[in-house]
């Protein structure tokens, strides 16, 4: 008997300890997520600009010592063709890739494990004054007339302010997140502009006008809208919304930022409606009655008394609606066309942060610059949503402050 | 007169908005149901995909989603309930609880793709689970955690304090009170939360993209380290890939319908339970 | 003798029943693997094969990380990827399982039905912006590409764009299926897909790689007689150390039965 009691006490003790531990679990989860995202993401700035394992080489007589990533890209895209644009001599740039070596020398001359390759590459570079060679560092060319261009790491400025997202471009991948950030914001904000009046209208209707019967119909409808999985929305958007947008607006393409915004507006509606309705409903009855007693109509009461009173709650609805839109992945990926371009107009394709992560993460080898760049995108998204959720909290706190 | 008119106009607009929302839901559901209903039959639900996913069924995807639901809730449900019990019954009103509650709120607002990112980094790569049911379940479990914590906390809040006081007055310990009095009273509400999170977990695509989802599995997974197909990812695949989109479209409609049925049944069940409880309480 | 052979075969198959083989990677090779896996498992019920897409890059990095047994790829393994394998002390084997011709497709109403390599390069790098510049109507050109993880994306870049980067902000689609859909809906669209994906909702364009002297339409026959220029091999990659595990499936896919599947799916066999 005594023994059993002791065992029970021990068990109870363990249970209580377990409860304490699990109480901390969300905190731990958040810390873990933050830690992982940021360590992986921050490592990007320790990665070289040039593709991992490669370097750029020139002839030592070449006065150019370093190239900006955009310059390198322009050269390899044949947009810059002369060294003098880069502060060098007035002569044409000769691009050389490792595969070219195999066309000059038969494989037999390069040795079994390519051990003769570095010397041959050195020979090629020494002979050609205007060469720009893009070669693996493993076979770094040997010779006195060879100069490696200074290898810099990726700069935070290039990442956060860069305007081009070309993560697999060779020889220098470009990780400019500006188009993605702006694309995400554009799609989400326009979605909110569409959804806000609609959501607010429905919320007012639900809280002020609807009869019990109508409310009993509308409430589940809104819950169901919130429950539909985003991939189903995406499928619906792809099959129905894209062609409709394209035809009715007579656009060259149907996959536009606007299509994404429309879909996101539908998806953000339930959040906006339910939060705003709660806020409206919380207006004290006495205030309404006072307004009505003074001779105001119901509508005047709503927009002069109820809405101003519920302002902070409505703002929270706005903020949470944006939060829902910003992080949405599948639906947006399926309808916006995913063009990584600085958004110029609503009627063009955009690429959002979540869609970029979803489309590219699988391909990026773990630990590479591309992988890290995607994690950093995750960090940006994480920071965005944190700001949003904290400000929603602060806004709704304000309300309780005011009432007392 | 003018006042009345503007009121009428405003109210008509609001009513129209309400009708519009209903119309949106009906058009989405109607679109899926009308196109999908003819596809669904016994074979579709119990056969494997065949002929480049243009014939056959979606059985492995249904089973995979089932596994993921079970796996993620096996992990998230006890943890979430216990966490809520701690913050609600044990921890005081101090800054610890406040911080935990804030973090729970924040966890709920993190986009699902970020969970996917994290799940891939930690479970798939760091812990070396590979693409597997366990990695996917843990990722989805994290996603369901805030839902469960929040609904459980609300359930606990709804248990009147007099219950606790009565039990304590009879000489029961705090833990006994919780076990014998509080939890049984809160159970129906906690179950509602569980059902809601099933709905959430079964519909998510982004978190499973890099942690578990397989394009095609010709047989069912046999262990927790196997990959699994899942309905939402299968729908994504059917909607975007395939050599013959025209022929695989019906399959996509069917899959979307099955997915919607699962998710919406869960949601309706939860709101039905909640309403019933509310009625009971108001009596 | 026959008995012995049967016995050893049975033993072999028992030894190979260990665990599921995972195939992962290119969406272009996917239809082959998918169908081959289904047929293969009908006759070898003990062998399990799972097939996942994601893109060639996904497949090869999964192979390097050890999360897949076979990587299906629509491009050759990259030098940097080979280096990573070397660093981790693994060696990889390459099998050409089929040949694919890449078809350039446009909207069915488009009057332009032939393009030169130079024109294609101009279009996809963003230098040519309107169809009237290549003999069509006055409509804006809307180029679609695959996501950057796809081997098709890389192959097209290397062989048609002379290694130049795509125009920034090209529409990128996660899978071949959605490319077909988008092109069939979009008047000014142009894109490229594997031959197997070609259907009547889009129009294939004849291409010329000799400055417009001869134009060839993408077809199995033209790819087979090597007059069509944009062809590429499709690969299976596996680690040499896991050869025993995957050999049976690889052999099957190269057998006449496997190659029949390749042709059924719409690609060109290697034998």
């Amino acid at each position: 008997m005594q023994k059993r009691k002791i065992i029970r006490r021990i068990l109870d003790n363990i249970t209580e300890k377990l409860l304490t531990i699990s109480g901390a679990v969300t905190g731990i989860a958040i810390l873990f997520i933050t830690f992982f995202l940021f360590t992986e993401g921050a490592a990007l700035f320790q990665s070289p600009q040039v593709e991992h394992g490669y370097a750029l080489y020139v002839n030592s007589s070449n006065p150019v010592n370093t190239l900006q990533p955009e310059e390198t890209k322009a050269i390899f895209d044949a947009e810059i063709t002369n060294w003098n644009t880069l502060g060098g001599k007035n002569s044409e740039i000769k691009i050389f890739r490792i595969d070219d070596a195999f066309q000059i020398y038969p494989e037999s001359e390069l040795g079994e494990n390519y051990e003769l390759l570095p010397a041959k590459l050195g020979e090629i570079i020494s002979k050609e004054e205007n060469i720009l060679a893009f070669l693996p560092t493993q076979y770094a060319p040997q010779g006195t007339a060879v100069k490696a261009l200074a290898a810099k790491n990726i700069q935070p400025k290039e990442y956060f302010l860069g305007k081009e997202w070309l993560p697999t471009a060779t020889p220098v991948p470009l990780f400019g997140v500006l188009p993605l950030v702006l694309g995400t914001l554009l799609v989400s904000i326009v979605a909110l502009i569409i959804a806000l009046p609609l959501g607010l209208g429905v919320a007012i209707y639900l809280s002020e006008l609807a009869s019990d019967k109508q409310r009993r119909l509308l409430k589940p409808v809104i819950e169901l809208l919130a429950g539909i999985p985003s991939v189903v929305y995406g499928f619906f958007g792809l099959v129905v919304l894209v062609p409709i947008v394209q035809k009715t607006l007579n656009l060259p393409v149907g996959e536009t930022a606007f299509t994404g915004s429309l879909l996101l507006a539908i998806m953000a509606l339930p959040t906006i409606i339910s939060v705003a309705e709660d806020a409206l409903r919380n207006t004290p009855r006495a205030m309404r009655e006072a307004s009505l007693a003074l001779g105001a109509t119901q509508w005047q009461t709503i927009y002069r008394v109820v809405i101003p009173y519920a302002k902070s709650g409505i703002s929270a609805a706005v903020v949470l609606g944006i939060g829902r839109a910003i992080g949405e992945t599948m639906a947006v990926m399926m309808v916006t066309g995913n063009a990584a371009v600085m958004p110029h107009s609503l009627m063009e394709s955009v690429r959002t942060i979540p869609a970029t992560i979803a489309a590219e993460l699988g391909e990026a080898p773990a630990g590479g610059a591309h992988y890290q760049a995607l994690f950093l995108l995750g960090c940006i998204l994480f920071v965005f949503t944190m700001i949003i959720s904290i400000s929603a909290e602060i806004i709704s706190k304000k309300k309780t402050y005011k009432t007392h | 007169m003018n006042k009345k008119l503007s009121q009428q106009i405003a109210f008509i607009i609001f009513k129209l908005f309400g009708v519009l929302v209903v119309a949106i839901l009906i058009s989405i559901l109607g679109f899926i149901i009308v196109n999908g209903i003819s596809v669904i039959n016994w074979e579709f639900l119990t056969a494997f995909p065949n002929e480049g996913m243009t014939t056959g069924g979606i059985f492995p995807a249904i089973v995979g989603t089932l596994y993921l639901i079970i796996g993620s809730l096996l992990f998230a449900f006890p943890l979430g309930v216990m966490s809520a019990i701690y913050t609600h019954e044990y921890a005081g009103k101090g800054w610890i609880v406040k911080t935990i509650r804030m973090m729970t709120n924040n966890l709920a607002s993190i986009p699902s793709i970020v969970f996917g990112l994290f799940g891939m980094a930690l479970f798939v790569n760091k812990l070396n689970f590979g693409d597997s049911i366990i990695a996917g379940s843990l990722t989805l479990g994290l996603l369901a955690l805030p839902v469960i914590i929040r609904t459980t906390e609300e359930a606990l809040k709804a248990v009147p304090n007099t219950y606790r006081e009565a039990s304590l007055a009879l000489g029961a310990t705090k833990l006994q009170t919780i076990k014998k009095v509080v939890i049984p009273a809160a159970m129906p509400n906690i179950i509602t939360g569980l059902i809601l999170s099933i709905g959430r977990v079964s519909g998510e695509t982004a978190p499973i993209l890099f942690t578990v989802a397989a394009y095609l599995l010709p047989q069912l997974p046999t262990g927790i380290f196997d990959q699994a197909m899942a309905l939402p990812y299968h729908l994504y695949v059917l909607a975007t890939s395939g050599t013959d989109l025209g022929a695989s479209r019906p399959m996509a409609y069917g899959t979307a319908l099955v997915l919607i049925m699962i998710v919406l049944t869960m949601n309706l069940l939860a709101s039905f339970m909640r309403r019933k409880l509310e009625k009971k309480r108001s009596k | 003798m026959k008995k012995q052979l049967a016995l050893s075969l049975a033993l072999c198959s028992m030894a190979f029943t260990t665990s599921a083989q995972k195939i992962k990677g290119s969406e272009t090779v996917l239809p082959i693997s998918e169908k081959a896996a289904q047929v293969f498992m009908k006759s070898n019920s003990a062998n399990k094969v799972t097939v996942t897409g994601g893109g060639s890059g996904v497949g090869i990095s999964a192979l390097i990380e050890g999360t897949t047994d076979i990587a299906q790829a629509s491009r050759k393994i990259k030098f940097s990827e080979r280096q990573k394998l070397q660093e981790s002390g693994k060696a990889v084997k390459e099998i050409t399982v089929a040949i694919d011709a890449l078809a350039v497709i446009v909207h069915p109403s488009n009057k332009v039905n032939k393009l030169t390599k130079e024109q294609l390069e101009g279009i996809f790098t963003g230098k040519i912006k309107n169809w009237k510049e290549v003999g069509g109507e006055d409509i804006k050109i809307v180029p679609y590409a695959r996501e950057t993880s796809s081997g098709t994306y890389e192959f097209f870049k290397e062989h048609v764009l002379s290694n130049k980067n795509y125009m920034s902000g090209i529409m990128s689609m996660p899978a071949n299926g959605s490319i077909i859909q988008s092109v069939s809906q979009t008047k000014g669209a142009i894109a490229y897909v594997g031959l197997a994906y070609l259907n009547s909702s889009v129009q294939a364009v004849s291409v010329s790689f000799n400055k417009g002297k001869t134009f060839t339409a993408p077809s199995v026959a033209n790819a087979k007689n090597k007059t069509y220029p944009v062809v590429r091999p499709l690969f299976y990659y596996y680690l040499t150390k896991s050869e025993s595990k995957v050999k049976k499936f690889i052999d099957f896919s190269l057998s006449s039965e496997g190659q029949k599947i390749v042709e059924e799916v719409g690609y060109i066999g290697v034998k």
Side-chain angles (χ1 to χ4, degrees):
Chain A
M1 203 56 198
Q2 195 70 15
K3 226 180 197 171
R4 205 182 269 174
K5 232 178 195 168
I6 293 173
I7 290 177
R8 181 176 289 167
R9 195 171 300 154
I10 293 173
L11 268 178
D12 282 2
N13 232 328
I14 293 176
T15 320
E16 292 192 333
K17 287 269 145 58
L18 262 174
L19 286 174
T20 318
I21 293 170
S22 28
V25 78
T26 42
I28 296 171
I30 286 236
L31 289 181
F32 241 59
I33 292 176
T34 323
F35 174 78
F36 259 88
L37 286 182
F38 282 85
T39 43
E40 293 278 1
L44 177 70
F45 302 122
Q46 264 109 59
S47 296
Q49 283 171 339
V50 177
E51 199 182 323
H52 178 77
Y54 282 83
L56 291 166
Y57 299 92
V58 293
N59 188 291
S60 53
S61 69
N62 197 320
V64 176
N65 286 318
T66 165
L67 286 173
Q68 292 302 313
E70 292 80 21
E71 289 171 345
T72 317
K73 181 192 168 248
I75 295 169
F76 279 82
D77 284 354
E79 275 153 18
I80 295 178
T81 51
N82 198 304
W83 280 112
N84 62 8
T85 17
L86 305 162
K89 288 170 281 189
N90 181 17
S91 45
E92 205 185 317
I93 302 173
K94 294 250 163 52
I95 294 173
F96 183 84
R97 289 186 176 84
I98 182 79
D99 296 331
D100 300 334
F102 299 104
Q103 273 154 29
I104 299 173
Y105 300 103
E107 247 175 81
S108 54
E109 275 185 43
L110 300 173
E112 205 168 301
N113 291 316
Y114 303 134
E115 62 267 6
L116 303 175
L117 190 58
K120 296 279 185 200
L121 292 172
E123 213 173 279
I124 294 168
I125 293 175
S126 331
K127 263 191 262 170
E128 180 56 73
E129 264 179 47
N130 303 315
I131 200 164
L132 176 64
F134 171 55
L135 304 169
T137 43
Q138 192 188 355
Y139 303 114
Q142 290 160 358
T144 46
V146 176
K147 182 169 78 176
L149 289 181
K152 268 197 301 184
N153 285 341
I154 295 170
Q155 305 293 310
K157 207 183 102 199
E158 291 165 15
Y159 184 81
F160 292 109
L161 299 174
K163 290 182 183 162
E164 278 192 279
W165 177 262
L166 280 170
T168 54
T170 48
V172 276
L174 295 178
F175 301 111
V177 295
L178 214 50
L180 310 181
V181 172
L182 294 179
T184 311
L185 290 179
L186 176 76
V187 173
S188 316
I189 289 171
V190 172
L192 195 79
I193 293 172
I194 301 169
L196 189 62
L198 199 61
L200 208 53
V202 176
I204 292 172
Y205 180 73
L206 268 176
S207 76
E208 309 291 320
L209 309 171
S211 66
D212 245 16
K213 209 171 133 200
Q214 288 163 327
R215 194 172 300 137
R216 241 175 303 160
L217 171 79
L218 257 177
K219 274 288 216 183
V221 164
I222 290 157
E223 267 168 45
L224 289 185
L225 269 181
I228 297 176
S230 70
V231 64
V232 175
Y233 276 114
F235 179 55
F236 174 77
L238 187 76
V239 182
V240 179
L241 222 47
V242 168
I244 288 181
V245 167
Q246 186 178 14
K247 275 192 202 110
T248 50
L249 300 176
N250 200 17
L251 297 173
V253 261
E255 294 101 344
T256 63
F258 180 65
T259 324
S261 297
L262 268 185
L263 204 57
L264 278 181
I266 299 175
M267 298 176 74
L269 263 184
T271 315
I272 295 176
I273 294 175
S274 56
V275 179
E277 195 214 338
D278 274 350
L280 293 170
R281 223 171 246 280
N282 278 337
T283 312
R285 206 188 168 86
M287 292 185 71
R288 281 175 236 250
E289 280 164 0
S291 164
L292 291 170
L294 285 172
T297 61
Q298 203 183 351
W299 170 229
Q300 281 174 323
T301 306
I302 291 172
Y303 83 83
R304 288 275 165 76
V305 178
V306 179
I307 293 182
Y309 186 86
K311 212 160 62 189
S312 57
I314 293 170
S315 325
V318 171
V319 172
L320 289 173
I322 286 206
R324 175 93 165 91
I326 276 186
E328 183 43 54
T329 312
M330 302 311 290
V332 176
M333 178 156 90
M334 289 161 87
V335 301
T336 53
N338 303 323
V341 68
M342 296 291 279
H344 296 295
S345 99
L346 256 187
M347 301 306 161
E348 272 171 25
S349 162
V350 292
R351 189 181 184 89
T352 66
I353 294 176
T356 306
I357 299 174
E360 295 176 9
L361 184 61
E363 125 209 31
H370 189 188
Y371 183 83
Q372 291 157 349
L374 292 175
F375 267 85
L376 211 50
L377 276 182
C379 295
I380 295 178
L381 206 57
F382 182 82
V383 170
F384 272 2
T385 47
M386 280 297 143
I387 292 173
I388 285 167
S389 110
I390 289 171
S391 49
E393 223 156 292
I394 291 171
I395 292 169
S396 38
K397 281 249 172 65
K398 235 187 203 161
K399 188 185 83 184
T400 48
Y401 188 65
K402 245 194 232 159
T403 45
H404 296 300
Chain B
M1 189 61 210
N2 212 354
K3 280 199 282 184
K4 274 267 153 63
L5 190 70
S6 73
Q7 165 159 329
Q8 252 171 4
I9 292 174
F11 286 2
I12 287 173
I13 289 175
F14 294 153
K15 197 160 191 174
L16 279 179
F17 281 177
V19 173
L20 182 62
V21 170
V22 178
I24 290 172
L25 180 79
I26 291 177
S27 63
I28 295 178
L29 287 187
F31 166 76
I32 303 282
I33 292 171
V34 167
N35 287 300
I37 196 83
S38 57
V39 185
I40 294 189
N41 52 33
W42 188 243
E43 196 211 339
F44 183 72
L45 297 176
T46 56
F48 282 80
N50 217 336
E51 301 285 328
M53 298 194 186
T54 54
T55 64
I58 55 168
F59 184 58
I62 295 176
V63 173
T65 290
L66 215 60
Y67 283 173
L68 288 176
I69 292 173
I70 295 170
S72 58
L73 294 179
L74 227 48
F75 150 71
F77 185 62
L79 204 57
V81 170
M82 273 160 56
S83 164
I85 291 175
Y86 176 76
T87 47
H88 195 264
E89 304 288 325
Y90 279 89
K93 296 259 177 261
W95 63 274
I96 299 183
V97 178
K98 265 192 198 146
T99 338
I100 289 180
R101 193 154 299 146
M102 200 181 87
M103 283 181 167
T104 312
N105 280 345
N106 288 344
L107 195 65
S109 69
I110 295 176
S112 54
I113 183 75
V114 175
F115 281 102
L117 209 55
F118 169 70
M120 178 183 178
L122 179 62
F123 304 127
V124 177
N125 290 342
K126 264 275 151 36
L127 299 179
N128 228 347
F129 292 160
D131 282 5
S132 59
I133 292 180
I134 180 152
S137 295
L138 289 173
T139 312
L140 284 173
L142 273 182
L143 198 82
L145 205 52
V147 181
I148 293 172
I149 292 179
R150 208 179 276 172
T151 46
T152 309
E153 265 193 6
E154 258 150 45
L156 295 173
K157 222 180 273 169
V159 178
N161 252 334
T162 47
Y163 283 31
R164 295 186 183 88
E165 283 154 11
S167 165
L168 290 172
L170 287 172
T173 64
K174 189 157 195 179
L175 191 64
Q176 279 171 330
T177 308
I178 292 171
K179 269 199 290 203
K180 298 273 162 65
V181 179
V182 178
I183 294 185
M187 210 48 188
N189 270 325
I190 297 179
I191 298 293
T192 312
L194 177 70
I195 295 172
L196 269 183
S197 48
I198 291 180
R200 177 91 199 265
V201 163
S202 48
E204 282 291 348
T205 318
I208 59 171
L209 222 46
F210 306 113
T211 52
V212 52
Y215 185 90
L216 178 75
L217 284 180
Q219 71 289 307
L220 299 177
T222 50
I224 56 168
F225 289 103
D226 280 359
Q227 278 185 288
M229 290 172 77
L231 283 171
Y233 179 66
H234 193 61
L235 173 58
Y236 174 66
V237 165
L238 284 169
T240 58
S241 1
T243 39
D244 191 352
L245 270 192
S248 59
R249 246 314 111 77
M251 307 305 276
Y253 288 122
T255 312
L257 184 54
V258 172
L259 181 60
I260 278 196
M261 293 302 267
I262 294 178
V263 175
L264 294 192
T265 313
M266 289 301 151
N267 281 13
L268 282 179
L269 201 63
S271 70
F272 174 74
M273 277 185 69
R274 199 186 295 144
R275 226 152 278 161
K276 215 171 158 190
L277 284 168
E278 264 165 26
K279 238 180 228 164
K280 218 162 127 195
R281 207 171 299 142
S282 62
K283 258 178 202 166
Chain C
M1 186 62 201
K2 233 179 186 172
K3 224 179 191 173
Q4 256 177 354
L5 199 74
L7 196 73
S8 60
L9 266 178
L11 273 175
C12 276
S13 62
M14 265 166 75
F16 291 139
T17 52
T18 45
S19 66
Q21 298 172 29
K22 294 179 190 161
I23 307 179
K24 193 171 192 177
S26 164
E27 304 262 339
T28 311
V29 193
L30 208 51
I32 301 178
S33 305
E34 195 187 323
K35 201 148 185 204
Q38 272 167 4
V39 178
F40 177 67
M41 278 185 300
K42 260 177 208 147
S43 49
N44 298 273
S45 51
N47 281 271
K48 294 174 174 178
V49 185
T50 67
V51 184
T52 330
S56 301
V58 178
I60 293 176
S61 57
L63 190 70
I64 296 170
E65 280 156 31
T67 52
T68 190
D69 300 305
I70 299 176
Q72 46 186 3
S74 55
R75 59 162 167 82
K76 252 190 167 9
I77 188 164
K78 274 193 206 169
F79 187 81
S80 56
E81 289 164 337
R82 212 179 264 281
Q83 250 180 335
K84 273 206 194 76
L85 276 168
Q86 249 169 22
E87 279 165 23
S88 55
K90 292 169 186 160
V92 74
K93 204 151 194 184
E94 174 186 293
I95 303 286
T96 305
V97 68
I99 308 280
D100 179 29
L102 218 53
V104 175
I105 54 171
V106 295
H107 190 263
S109 73
N110 201 322
K111 282 189 204 126
V112 177
N113 54 15
K114 50 182 190 178
L115 290 166
T116 65
K117 177 176 186 283
E118 290 69 28
Q119 284 171 330
L120 285 172
E121 188 184 312
I123 289 172
F124 281 93
T125 53
K127 308 271 176 328
I128 299 176
K129 292 193 162 67
N130 196 302
W131 280 110
K132 69 181 175 193
E133 291 170 60
V134 290
E137 286 172 70
D138 183 11
I139 302 175
K140 196 179 157 219
I141 298 182
V142 186
Y144 285 85
R146 285 288 313 284
E147 275 296 345
T148 48
S149 55
S150 98
T152 320
Y153 176 97
E154 302 270 342
F155 175 83
F156 198 78
K157 180 174 148 185
E158 266 169 43
H159 289 257
V160 183
L161 309 187
S162 340
N163 261 319
K164 289 184 184 120
N165 285 307
Y166 288 84
M167 62 190 259
S168 75
I170 192 161
M171 308 267 279
S172 52
M173 292 290 150
N176 283 320
S178 34
I179 287 215
I180 297 272
Q181 159 143 11
S182 295
V183 173
S184 69
Q185 282 170 358
T186 306
K187 269 203 140 165
I190 182 165
Y192 50 84
V193 290
L195 203 54
Y197 287 85
L198 213 54
N199 66 27
S200 56
S201 65
V202 294
Q203 182 192 170
V205 173
S206 299
V207 297
S208 162
F209 267 44
N210 48 15
K211 306 243 150 78
K213 271 181 218 142
T214 51
F215 287 89
T216 326
S219 70
V220 174
N222 285 344
K224 257 192 174 155
N225 65 22
K226 301 209 164 102
T227 51
Y228 188 71
V230 200
V231 291
R232 53 169 176 173
L234 303 177
F235 303 105
Y236 280 153
Y237 286 98
Y238 59 88
L239 300 179
T240 39
K241 65 169 187 205
S242 58
E243 177 148 8
S244 58
K245 191 174 171 191
V246 300
K247 189 97 180 92
K248 248 187 142 183
F249 179 76
I250 299 278
D251 284 348
F252 171 79
S253 56
L254 293 176
S255 70
S256 58
E257 202 184 350
Q259 290 296 306
K260 209 176 91 199
I261 291 172
V262 166
E263 309 234 327
E264 268 170 27
V265 175
Y267 295 105
I268 300 124
V270 285
K271 294 218 167 115

